[in-house]
Amino acid sequence: MNIAAIIPAAGSGSRAGFSKNKILQKIGGSSVIARTVSAFAQNAGISRIVVCANEADRKDLARELAPFDLCFASGGATRTESVKNALGLLAALPCPPDYVLIHDAARPFVSQKVINDCIDTVRQFGSAVCALPCTDTAVLAESGFISDTVERDKLFTLQTPQGFAFAPLYEAYGKITESDAFTDDSGVYKKYVTPPRLFAGEKGNIKLTFAEDFQMETYRTGIGTDTHAFGAEKDHIVLGGVKIPSQRGLIAHSDGDVLCHALMDALLSAAGLADIGHHFPDTDPAYKDADSLALLARVYALLQERGFSVVNVSAAISAERPKLAPYIAQVKKNLADVLHISEQCVGISAGTNEGLGYIGRGEGITVFANALLRSVF
Ligand code: MG
């Protein structure tokens, strides 16, 4: 069985407001069109891919799609014209396809399940239109007032891919007249062949239309650790900006806030930035006795400048003494305030080392910290 995929990619994408065709836009390092073509290229049921491209985009598209085995058809002034050109190209092959799947270039998140369901449905019914049932109440309106309600059970929104038996679709496209205005292929098939069959689409199979549709959330984790040794007699140590009674202080150039230091490294690491030694060197007199909570605020500012926000942080403090439990609530509050997150998003655990090693002998404190950042690209 011979199944081709047609991907009309000749639109301007003007509603997204980019300077060039929106499908050349990158999402998470890969262009929209490369993601879309890749979905069909990796489906074993598809034997040929045709991309409809404008002359102006041809070079960019050829570069983006270099890894894929495909051919180009000329883009037309309308989507209908582009598809017609692609169908003509396929019809002229020595062995035209039995079926064709037509898919919007700007739907890069189409799943293999949807493509497979389209193939199964078109083989059974001769047509297969990807559709979602309408879940909101739908009405007809005129001049801003509701004129009629519509039975929701009968309402669907259409997605792509749309699959059709090749020969009748090709013939139907030959019958299109100037007065016809189709926004998709199901309209052509319905008018000139027969009402096409629906199959279930997916919510995630969105069409990228406006600039905000191209902004993808990404998440990044980071890990950090720090250790400070106990030194001279003192009356406190500082953890998370809280003064905690202790017979000995921690040896440090700064205030020795080992928890803030581990957290800063976790945050910087998640953002792919250099560690705190780079940003706040302990050879710099500016950081003598520095308030580490204030340095944490500066790290937060560095992340903000780069478009990151903090989702949550968690830290495990390993210390034989002093007793930390009574101070944890205040530590969480301090860190939450500085990182602009709720206290529920700050996890702090504290434990001893069961008398083992340098921690067990009460020679120092070690903290392991973890951070999750969110950004929109
Ligand atoms: Mg340190």
Side-chain angles (χ1 to χ4, degrees), residues 72-153:
F72 285 106
S74 297
T78 61
R79 186 184 193 281
T80 306
E81 258 183 59
S82 293
V83 173
K84 191 176 179 181
N85 292 344
L87 291 171
L89 186 146
L90 290 169
L93 293 173
C95 186
D98 303 305
Y99 299 101
V100 62
L101 269 50
I102 303 170
H103 184 72
D104 298 329
R107 289 189 197 270
F109 307 122
V110 59
S111 68
Q112 292 303 310
K113 179 181 187 308
V114 162
I115 297 174
N116 289 333
D117 288 353
C118 188
I119 292 173
D120 291 345
T121 308
V122 75
R123 289 184 64 186
Q124 195 181 342
F125 296 96
S127 58
V129 174
C130 191
L132 278 184
C134 202
T135 52
D136 295 323
T137 296
V139 297
L140 294 177
E142 283 169 45
S143 309
F145 290 91
I146 293 177
S147 57
D148 212 347
T149 50
V150 185
E151 272 183 77
R152 193 168 60 189
D153 294 354

Coordinates of all heavy atoms in Angstrom, one line a residue, residues 72-153:
F72 N 9.6 18.7 -3.1 CA 8.9 19.9 -3.0 C 7.9 20.1 -4.1 O 8.2 19.7 -5.3 CB 9.9 21.1 -3.0 CG 10.6 21.3 -1.7 CD1 12.0 20.9 -1.6 CD2 10.0 21.8 -0.6 CE1 12.7 21.1 -0.4 CE2 10.7 21.9 0.6 CZ 12.0 21.6 0.7
A73 N 6.7 20.6 -3.8 CA 5.8 21.1 -4.8 C 5.7 22.6 -4.7 O 6.0 23.1 -3.6 CB 4.4 20.4 -4.6
S74 N 5.3 23.3 -5.8 CA 5.2 24.7 -5.8 C 4.1 25.2 -4.9 O 3.0 24.6 -4.9 CB 5.0 25.3 -7.2 OG 6.1 24.9 -8.0
G75 N 4.4 26.1 -4.0 CA 3.3 26.7 -3.2 C 2.4 27.6 -4.1 O 2.9 28.2 -5.0
G76 N 1.1 27.6 -3.8 CA 0.2 28.5 -4.5 C -0.2 29.7 -3.7 O 0.3 29.8 -2.5
A77 N -1.0 30.5 -4.2 CA -1.5 31.7 -3.5 C -2.4 31.3 -2.3 O -2.5 32.1 -1.4 CB -2.2 32.7 -4.5
T78 N -3.1 30.2 -2.5 CA -3.9 29.7 -1.4 C -3.5 28.3 -1.0 O -2.8 27.6 -1.8 CB -5.4 29.7 -1.8 OG1 -5.5 28.7 -2.9 CG2 -5.9 31.0 -2.3
R79 N -4.0 27.9 0.1 CA -3.7 26.5 0.6 C -4.3 25.5 -0.4 O -3.6 24.5 -0.8 CB -4.4 26.3 2.0 CG -4.1 25.0 2.6 CD -4.9 24.8 3.9 NE -4.4 23.7 4.7 CZ -4.7 22.4 4.5 NH1 -5.4 22.1 3.5 NH2 -4.2 21.5 5.3
T80 N -5.5 25.8 -0.9 CA -6.1 24.9 -1.9 C -5.2 24.7 -3.1 O -5.0 23.6 -3.6 CB -7.5 25.5 -2.3 OG1 -8.2 25.7 -1.1 CG2 -8.2 24.5 -3.2
E81 N -4.7 25.9 -3.6 CA -3.8 25.8 -4.8 C -2.5 25.0 -4.5 O -2.1 24.2 -5.4 CB -3.3 27.2 -5.2 CG -4.1 27.8 -6.4 CD -3.5 29.2 -6.7 OE1 -2.3 29.3 -7.0 OE2 -4.3 30.1 -6.6
S82 N -2.0 25.2 -3.3 CA -0.8 24.4 -3.0 C -1.0 22.9 -3.0 O -0.3 22.1 -3.5 CB -0.3 24.8 -1.6 OG 0.2 26.1 -1.6
V83 N -2.1 22.5 -2.3 CA -2.5 21.1 -2.3 C -2.7 20.5 -3.7 O -2.3 19.4 -4.0 CB -3.7 20.9 -1.4 CG1 -4.2 19.4 -1.4 CG2 -3.4 21.2 0.1
K84 N -3.4 21.4 -4.5 CA -3.6 20.9 -5.9 C -2.3 20.7 -6.6 O -2.2 19.7 -7.3 CB -4.4 22.0 -6.6 CG -5.0 21.6 -7.9 CD -5.9 22.6 -8.6 CE -6.3 22.1 -9.9 NZ -7.2 23.1 -10.6
N85 N -1.4 21.6 -6.4 CA 0.0 21.4 -7.1 C 0.6 20.1 -6.6 O 1.2 19.3 -7.4 CB 0.9 22.5 -6.7 CG 0.5 23.8 -7.4 OD1 -0.3 23.8 -8.3 ND2 1.0 24.9 -6.9
A86 N 0.5 19.8 -5.3 CA 1.1 18.6 -4.7 C 0.4 17.3 -5.3 O 1.1 16.3 -5.6 CB 1.1 18.6 -3.2
L87 N -0.9 17.4 -5.4 CA -1.7 16.2 -5.9 C -1.3 16.0 -7.4 O -1.1 14.8 -7.8 CB -3.2 16.5 -5.8 CG -3.8 16.5 -4.4 CD1 -5.2 17.0 -4.4 CD2 -3.7 15.1 -3.7
G88 N -1.1 17.1 -8.1 CA -0.7 17.0 -9.5 C 0.7 16.3 -9.6 O 0.9 15.4 -10.5
L89 N 1.6 16.7 -8.7 CA 2.9 16.1 -8.7 C 2.8 14.6 -8.5 O 3.5 13.8 -9.1 CB 3.8 16.8 -7.7 CG 5.2 16.5 -7.5 CD1 6.0 17.7 -7.1 CD2 5.5 15.4 -6.5
L90 N 2.0 14.2 -7.5 CA 1.8 12.8 -7.1 C 1.1 12.0 -8.3 O 1.5 10.9 -8.6 CB 1.0 12.6 -5.8 CG 1.8 13.1 -4.6 CD1 0.8 13.2 -3.4 CD2 2.9 12.1 -4.2
A91 N 0.2 12.7 -8.9 CA -0.6 12.0 -10.0 C 0.3 11.7 -11.2 O 0.1 10.7 -11.9 CB -1.7 12.9 -10.4
A92 N 1.4 12.5 -11.4 CA 2.3 12.3 -12.5 C 3.3 11.2 -12.3 O 4.1 10.9 -13.2 CB 3.0 13.7 -12.8
L93 N 3.4 10.7 -11.0 CA 4.4 9.7 -10.7 C 4.0 8.4 -11.5 O 2.8 8.1 -11.7 CB 4.4 9.4 -9.2 CG 4.9 10.5 -8.3 CD1 4.7 10.1 -6.9 CD2 6.4 10.7 -8.6
P94 N 5.0 7.5 -11.8 CA 4.6 6.3 -12.5 C 3.7 5.4 -11.6 O 2.9 4.7 -12.1 CB 6.0 5.6 -12.6 CG 7.0 6.6 -12.3 CD 6.4 7.8 -11.6
C95 N 3.8 5.6 -10.3 CA 2.9 4.8 -9.4 C 2.3 5.8 -8.4 O 2.9 6.0 -7.3 CB 3.8 3.7 -8.7 SG 2.8 2.6 -7.7
P96 N 1.2 6.4 -8.7 CA 0.6 7.4 -7.8 C 0.2 6.7 -6.5 O -0.1 5.5 -6.5 CB -0.6 7.9 -8.5 CG -0.4 7.6 -9.9 CD 0.4 6.3 -9.9
P97 N 0.0 7.4 -5.4 CA -0.3 6.8 -4.1 C -1.8 6.3 -4.1 O -2.6 6.8 -4.8 CB -0.1 7.9 -3.1 CG -0.2 9.2 -3.9 CD 0.3 8.9 -5.2
D98 N -2.0 5.3 -3.2 CA -3.4 4.9 -3.0 C -4.2 5.9 -2.1 O -5.3 6.1 -2.3 CB -3.4 3.5 -2.3 CG -2.6 2.5 -3.1 OD1 -3.0 2.3 -4.3 OD2 -1.7 1.9 -2.6
Y99 N -3.4 6.4 -1.1 CA -4.0 7.3 -0.2 C -3.1 8.5 0.0 O -1.9 8.4 -0.2 CB -4.3 6.6 1.2 CG -5.2 5.4 1.1 CD1 -4.7 4.1 1.1 CD2 -6.6 5.6 1.1 CE1 -5.5 3.0 1.0 CE2 -7.4 4.5 1.0 CZ -6.9 3.2 1.0 OH -7.8 2.2 0.9
V100 N -3.7 9.6 0.5 CA -2.9 10.8 0.8 C -3.3 11.3 2.1 O -4.5 11.4 2.4 CB -2.9 11.8 -0.4 CG1 -4.3 12.3 -0.6 CG2 -1.9 12.9 -0.1
L101 N -2.4 11.7 3.0 CA -2.6 12.4 4.2 C -2.2 13.8 4.1 O -1.0 14.0 3.7 CB -1.9 11.7 5.4 CG -2.6 10.6 6.2 CD1 -3.1 9.5 5.3 CD2 -1.6 10.0 7.2
I102 N -3.1 14.8 4.3 CA -2.7 16.2 4.2 C -2.6 16.8 5.6 O -3.6 16.6 6.4 CB -3.7 16.9 3.3 CG1 -3.7 16.2 1.9 CG2 -3.3 18.4 3.2 CD1 -4.8 16.7 1.0
H103 N -1.5 17.4 5.9 CA -1.3 17.9 7.3 C -0.7 19.3 7.3 O 0.2 19.6 6.6 CB -0.4 16.9 8.0 CG -0.2 17.3 9.5 ND1 -1.1 17.1 10.4 CD2 0.9 17.8 10.1 CE1 -0.7 17.5 11.6 NE2 0.5 18.0 11.4
D104 N -1.3 20.1 8.2 CA -0.8 21.5 8.4 C 0.6 21.5 8.8 O 1.0 20.9 9.8 CB -1.6 22.3 9.4 CG -3.1 22.4 9.1 OD1 -3.4 22.5 7.8 OD2 -3.9 22.4 10.0
A105 N 1.5 22.3 8.1 CA 2.9 22.4 8.5 C 3.0 23.0 10.0 O 3.9 22.7 10.7 CB 3.6 23.4 7.6
A106 N 2.0 23.8 10.4 CA 2.1 24.4 11.7 C 1.5 23.6 12.8 O 1.2 24.1 13.9 CB 1.4 25.8 11.6
R107 N 1.3 22.3 12.6 CA 0.9 21.4 13.7 C 2.1 20.4 14.0 O 2.0 19.2 13.6 CB -0.3 20.6 13.3 CG -1.6 21.4 13.3 CD -2.8 20.5 13.1 NE -4.0 21.3 12.6 CZ -4.8 21.9 13.5 NH1 -4.7 21.8 14.8 NH2 -5.8 22.6 13.0
P108 N 3.1 20.8 14.6 CA 4.3 20.0 14.8 C 4.2 18.9 15.9 O 5.0 18.1 16.0 CB 5.4 21.0 15.2 CG 4.6 22.1 15.9 CD 3.3 22.2 15.2
F109 N 3.1 19.0 16.7 CA 3.0 18.1 17.8 C 2.1 16.9 17.5 O 1.6 16.2 18.4 CB 2.5 18.8 19.1 CG 3.3 20.0 19.4 CD1 2.8 21.3 19.5 CD2 4.7 19.9 19.6 CE1 3.6 22.4 19.7 CE2 5.5 21.0 19.8 CZ 4.9 22.2 19.9
V110 N 1.8 16.7 16.2 CA 1.0 15.5 15.9 C 1.6 14.2 16.3 O 2.8 14.0 16.2 CB 0.7 15.5 14.3 CG1 2.0 15.4 13.6 CG2 -0.2 14.4 13.9
S111 N 0.8 13.4 17.0 CA 1.4 12.1 17.5 C 1.4 11.0 16.5 O 0.6 11.0 15.5 CB 0.6 11.7 18.8 OG -0.7 11.3 18.4
Q112 N 2.2 10.0 16.8 CA 2.2 8.8 15.9 C 0.8 8.1 16.0 O 0.3 7.5 15.0 CB 3.3 7.8 16.3 CG 4.7 8.4 16.0 CD 4.9 8.7 14.5 OE1 4.6 8.0 13.6 NE2 5.4 10.0 14.3
K113 N 0.1 8.2 17.1 CA -1.2 7.6 17.3 C -2.2 8.2 16.3 O -2.9 7.5 15.6 CB -1.7 7.7 18.7 CG -3.1 7.1 18.9 CD -3.6 7.2 20.3 CE -4.9 6.5 20.5 NZ -6.0 6.8 19.5
V114 N -2.2 9.6 16.2 CA -3.1 10.3 15.4 C -2.8 9.9 13.9 O -3.7 9.6 13.1 CB -3.0 11.8 15.6 CG1 -3.6 12.6 14.4 CG2 -3.8 12.2 16.9
I115 N -1.5 9.9 13.5 CA -1.2 9.5 12.1 C -1.6 8.1 11.8 O -2.2 7.8 10.8 CB 0.4 9.6 11.9 CG1 0.8 11.1 12.0 CG2 0.7 9.1 10.5 CD1 2.3 11.3 12.0
N116 N -1.4 7.2 12.8 CA -1.8 5.8 12.6 C -3.3 5.6 12.5 O -3.8 4.9 11.7 CB -1.3 4.9 13.7 CG 0.2 4.7 13.6 OD1 0.8 4.8 12.5 ND2 0.9 4.5 14.7
D117 N -4.0 6.4 13.4 CA -5.5 6.3 13.3 C -6.0 6.9 12.0 O -7.0 6.4 11.5 CB -6.1 7.1 14.5 CG -5.9 6.4 15.9 OD1 -5.4 5.3 15.8 OD2 -6.2 7.0 16.9
C118 N -5.3 7.9 11.5 CA -5.7 8.5 10.2 C -5.6 7.4 9.1 O -6.5 7.3 8.3 CB -4.9 9.7 9.9 SG -5.5 10.7 8.5
I119 N -4.4 6.7 9.1 CA -4.2 5.7 8.1 C -5.3 4.6 8.2 O -5.9 4.2 7.2 CB -2.8 5.1 8.3 CG1 -1.7 6.2 7.9 CG2 -2.6 3.9 7.4 CD1 -0.3 5.8 8.1
D120 N -5.5 4.1 9.4 CA -6.5 3.0 9.6 C -7.9 3.5 9.1 O -8.6 2.7 8.5 CB -6.6 2.7 11.1 CG -5.3 2.0 11.6 OD1 -4.5 1.5 10.7 OD2 -5.1 1.9 12.8
T121 N -8.2 4.7 9.5 CA -9.6 5.2 9.1 C -9.7 5.4 7.6 O -10.8 5.0 7.1 CB -9.9 6.5 9.9 OG1 -9.6 6.3 11.3 CG2 -11.4 6.9 9.7
V122 N -8.7 6.0 7.0 CA -8.8 6.2 5.6 C -8.9 4.9 4.8 O -9.6 4.8 3.8 CB -7.7 7.2 5.1 CG1 -6.4 6.5 5.0 CG2 -8.1 7.8 3.7
R123 N -8.2 3.9 5.3 CA -8.2 2.6 4.6 C -9.6 1.9 4.7 O -10.0 1.3 3.8 CB -7.1 1.7 5.2 CG -5.7 2.1 4.8 CD -4.7 1.2 5.3 NE -4.8 -0.2 4.7 CZ -4.1 -1.2 5.1 NH1 -3.1 -1.1 6.0 NH2 -4.2 -2.4 4.5
Q124 N -10.2 2.2 5.9 CA -11.5 1.6 6.1 C -12.7 2.3 5.4 O -13.6 1.8 4.8 CB -11.8 1.5 7.6 CG -13.0 0.6 7.9 CD -13.3 0.5 9.4 OE1 -12.4 0.9 10.2 NE2 -14.4 0.1 9.8
F125 N -12.6 3.7 5.4 CA -13.7 4.5 5.0 C -13.4 5.3 3.7 O -14.3 6.0 3.2 CB -14.2 5.5 6.1 CG -14.7 4.7 7.3 CD1 -13.9 4.5 8.4 CD2 -16.0 4.3 7.3 CE1 -14.4 3.8 9.5 CE2 -16.5 3.7 8.5 CZ -15.7 3.4 9.6
G126 N -12.2 5.4 3.3 CA -11.8 6.2 2.1 C -11.6 7.6 2.4 O -11.1 8.4 1.6
S127 N -11.9 8.0 3.7 CA -11.6 9.4 4.1 C -11.4 9.3 5.6 O -11.9 8.4 6.3 CB -12.7 10.4 3.7 OG -13.9 9.9 4.3
A128 N -10.7 10.3 6.2 CA -10.4 10.3 7.6 C -10.0 11.7 8.0 O -8.9 12.2 7.7 CB -9.2 9.4 7.9
V129 N -10.9 12.4 8.7 CA -10.7 13.8 9.1 C -10.5 13.9 10.6 O -11.4 13.5 11.4 CB -11.9 14.7 8.6 CG1 -11.7 16.1 9.2 CG2 -11.9 14.7 7.1
C130 N -9.4 14.4 11.0 CA -9.1 14.5 12.5 C -9.9 15.5 13.1 O -10.0 16.7 12.6 CB -7.6 14.9 12.5 SG -6.9 14.8 14.1
A131 N -10.7 15.2 14.2 CA -11.6 16.1 14.7 C -11.7 16.0 16.3 O -11.5 14.9 16.8 CB -13.0 15.8 14.1
L132 N -12.0 17.1 16.9 CA -12.2 17.1 18.3 C -13.7 17.5 18.6 O -14.2 18.5 18.0 CB -11.3 18.2 19.0 CG -9.9 17.8 19.3 CD1 -9.2 19.0 20.0 CD2 -9.8 16.6 20.1
P133 N -14.3 16.8 19.5 CA -15.7 17.2 19.9 C -15.6 18.6 20.6 O -14.6 18.8 21.3 CB -16.2 16.1 20.8 CG -15.0 15.4 21.2 CD -13.9 15.6 20.2
C134 N -16.6 19.4 20.4 CA -16.7 20.7 21.0 C -17.1 20.5 22.5 O -18.1 19.9 22.8 CB -17.7 21.6 20.3 SG -17.4 23.3 20.5
T135 N -16.3 21.1 23.4 CA -16.7 20.9 24.9 C -17.3 22.1 25.4 O -18.0 22.1 26.5 CB -15.4 20.5 25.7 OG1 -14.4 21.5 25.4 CG2 -14.9 19.2 25.3
D136 N -17.1 23.3 24.8 CA -17.8 24.5 25.3 C -19.2 24.6 24.6 O -19.4 24.0 23.6 CB -16.9 25.7 24.9 CG -15.6 25.7 25.6 OD1 -15.5 25.3 26.7 OD2 -14.6 26.1 24.9
T137 N -20.0 25.4 25.3 CA -21.3 25.7 24.7 C -21.0 26.5 23.4 O -20.2 27.5 23.5 CB -22.2 26.4 25.6 OG1 -22.5 25.6 26.7 CG2 -23.5 26.9 25.0
A138 N -21.7 26.2 22.3 CA -21.5 27.0 21.1 C -22.7 27.7 20.7 O -23.8 27.1 20.8 CB -21.0 26.0 20.0
V139 N -22.6 28.9 20.2 CA -23.8 29.6 19.7 C -23.5 30.3 18.4 O -22.3 30.4 18.0 CB -24.1 30.8 20.8 CG1 -24.5 30.2 22.1 CG2 -23.0 31.8 20.9
L140 N -24.5 30.7 17.7 CA -24.4 31.6 16.6 C -24.7 33.0 17.1 O -25.5 33.2 17.9 CB -25.4 31.2 15.5 CG -25.2 29.8 14.9 CD1 -26.3 29.5 13.8 CD2 -23.8 29.7 14.2
A141 N -24.0 33.9 16.6 CA -24.2 35.3 17.0 C -24.2 36.3 15.8 O -23.5 36.0 14.8 CB -23.1 35.7 18.0
E142 N -25.0 37.3 15.9 CA -25.0 38.4 14.9 C -24.9 39.7 15.6 O -25.6 39.9 16.6 CB -26.3 38.3 14.0 CG -26.2 37.2 13.0 CD -27.6 36.9 12.4 OE1 -28.3 37.9 12.0 OE2 -28.0 35.7 12.3
S143 N -24.0 40.6 15.1 CA -23.9 41.9 15.7 C -23.7 41.9 17.2 O -24.2 42.7 17.9 CB -25.1 42.8 15.3 OG -25.4 42.7 13.9
G144 N -23.0 40.9 17.7 CA -22.6 40.8 19.1 C -23.7 40.2 20.0 O -23.6 40.2 21.2
F145 N -24.8 39.7 19.4 CA -25.9 39.1 20.2 C -26.1 37.7 19.7 O -26.0 37.4 18.5 CB -27.2 39.9 20.0 CG -27.2 41.2 20.7 CD1 -26.7 42.4 20.0 CD2 -27.5 41.4 22.1 CE1 -26.7 43.6 20.6 CE2 -27.4 42.6 22.7 CZ -27.0 43.7 22.0
I146 N -26.4 36.8 20.7 CA -26.7 35.4 20.3 C -27.9 35.3 19.5 O -29.0 35.8 19.9 CB -26.8 34.6 21.6 CG1 -25.4 34.5 22.3 CG2 -27.3 33.2 21.3 CD1 -25.4 33.8 23.6
S147 N -27.8 34.7 18.3 CA -29.0 34.5 17.5 C -29.5 33.1 17.6 O -30.7 32.9 17.4 CB -28.6 34.9 16.0 OG -27.6 34.1 15.6
D148 N -28.7 32.2 17.9 CA -29.1 30.8 18.0 C -28.1 30.0 18.8 O -26.9 30.3 18.8 CB -29.3 30.2 16.6 CG -30.4 29.2 16.5 OD1 -30.9 28.8 17.6 OD2 -30.8 28.8 15.4
T149 N -28.6 28.9 19.4 CA -27.7 28.0 20.1 C -27.5 26.8 19.1 O -28.4 26.6 18.2 CB -28.2 27.5 21.4 OG1 -29.5 27.0 21.3 CG2 -28.1 28.6 22.5
V150 N -26.4 26.1 19.3 CA -26.2 24.9 18.4 C -26.0 23.7 19.3 O -25.5 23.8 20.4 CB -24.8 25.2 17.7 CG1 -24.6 24.1 16.6 CG2 -24.8 26.5 17.0
E151 N -26.6 22.6 18.8 CA -26.5 21.4 19.6 C -25.0 21.0 19.7 O -24.4 20.7 18.7 CB -27.3 20.2 18.9 CG -28.7 20.1 19.2 CD -29.4 19.0 18.5 OE1 -29.1 17.8 19.0 OE2 -30.0 19.2 17.5
R152 N -24.5 21.0 20.9 CA -23.1 20.7 21.1 C -22.6 19.3 20.6 O -21.5 19.2 20.1 CB -22.7 20.9 22.6 CG -21.2 21.0 22.8 CD -20.9 21.5 24.2 NE -21.5 20.6 25.2 CZ -21.5 20.9 26.5 NH1 -21.0 22.1 26.9 NH2 -22.0 20.1 27.4
D153 N -23.5 18.4 20.8 CA -23.2 17.0 20.4 C -22.8 16.9 18.9 O -22.1 16.0 18.5 CB -24.3 16.0 20.6 CG -24.6 15.9 22.1 OD1 -23.8 16.5 22.9 OD2 -25.6 15.3 22.5

